[in-house]
Amino acid sequence: MVTRCPSASKPPFSRHYVDIDLFGRRKETAKINLLFRDLGYKPRERFNALHGSRLIFNDLKNMRRVDVFLDVFQMCHRFDFRDRLGLEPKTITISDLLSTKLQIVEMNEKDIKDILVLLLDHEVSAEETPDGINASYLAKLCAEDWGIYRTFTTNLDRIPEFVGRLSLDDGRRGLIVGRAESIRKEIEGAPKSMGWKMRATVGDRKRWYELPEADQAVVHFNPTAVGK
């Protein structure tokens, strides 16, 4: 976040980061495992065996954790990033980064800060740009999946509430709220798929999201097994 958002390192947005999130390609899993082994990281064996699209590695010496998402990002909602991983040289795109935050159903303070700082530091556009939020892309995600639409729009509608939790001047507050409204408008204007319309008739009567398991500590392991 700090790499792409200058404001993330300054109050009121600065926060403690408990892990590092990386993205890779599933076909390169063996190379990724080898890389982290050579760097001194220990894989969370059981978790990695059960989750084919996500790997966790622990640096037991420095008490650090790395999460590696392979091809897809799957938490409350699922996003296929296979065709988008090469769009930016060092990180996923700003639009994809924002999508990983807007998809969260149960927000906490760090998630709120991340959304607000992304909106503060990046302009909204109708196309993919190196340092902008592609509202058309976010609208397309929502137009194809009612569940994503439901979660995204719920969180965007809460932006004024989120802004009110932080000490911000009127200029920054207005910029954040205005950009959220621009994205919201683009989402509503995008033509919806037939699947979206069918799911919309069911609405909230059926749960539209998953609740991922609670995050473990930065390093979660059996101390007696460290040397094994």
Side-chain angles (χ1 to χ4, degrees), residues 69 125 206:
F69 295 92
S125 67
K206 179 180 178 181

Side-chain angles (χ1 to χ4, degrees), residues 1-136:
M1 187 66 65
V2 175
T3 301
R4 302 303 303 272
C5 298
S7 299
S9 60
K10 305 171 185 177
F13 301 106
S14 55
R15 65 177 182 83
H16 176 63
Y17 293 87
V18 300
D19 62 359
I20 301 171
D21 290 341
L22 301 174
F23 287 83
R25 300 192 184 280
R26 189 166 184 171
K27 64 182 180 181
E28 297 178 344
T29 299
K31 293 180 180 179
I32 293 170
N33 277 305
L34 180 61
L35 169 65
F36 281 99
R37 187 193 70 183
D38 291 345
L39 290 172
Y41 283 79
K42 184 178 179 63
R44 191 178 290 175
E45 300 281 5
R46 185 170 182 274
F47 181 96
N48 293 358
L50 293 174
H51 299 77
S53 61
R54 184 182 177 195
L55 305 173
I56 295 180
F57 299 92
N58 292 320
D59 176 351
L60 305 181
K61 180 180 179 180
N62 298 297
M63 300 298 286
R64 296 180 296 204
R65 191 186 83 199
V66 172
D67 287 33
V68 183
F69 295 92
L70 303 173
D71 290 346
V72 301
F73 178 88
Q74 186 162 354
M75 299 296 279
C76 296
H77 297 281
R78 183 181 187 277
F79 303 92
D80 190 335
F81 286 162
R82 283 176 293 181
D83 295 333
R84 297 184 59 81
L85 290 180
L87 296 180
E88 289 292 322
K90 294 183 179 180
T91 70
I92 56 176
T93 70
I94 296 298
S95 309
D96 288 317
L97 185 53
L98 182 57
S99 73
T100 68
K101 297 298 179 178
L102 288 177
Q103 63 86 40
I104 299 171
V105 172
E106 297 182 349
M107 285 278 176
N108 58 37
E109 184 179 358
K110 71 179 182 66
D111 301 320
I112 292 171
K113 286 185 175 182
D114 287 347
I115 290 175
L116 297 184
V117 79
L118 282 164
L119 291 171
L120 175 62
D121 285 353
H122 302 283
E123 295 183 355
V124 176
S125 67
E127 58 186 7
E128 202 71 59
T129 62
D131 202 38
I133 299 170
N134 185 350
S136 297

Side-chain angles (χ1 to χ4, degrees), residues 155-169:
N155 286 328
L156 286 169
D157 289 346
R158 295 181 66 191
I159 293 299
E161 171 198 340
F162 292 159
V163 168
R165 299 183 187 183
L166 301 179
S167 177
L168 292 172
D169 57 76

Side-chain angles (χ1 to χ4, degrees), residues 130-142:
D131 202 38
I133 299 170
N134 185 350
S136 297
Y137 168 66
L138 297 178
K140 183 175 183 293
L141 293 176
C142 292

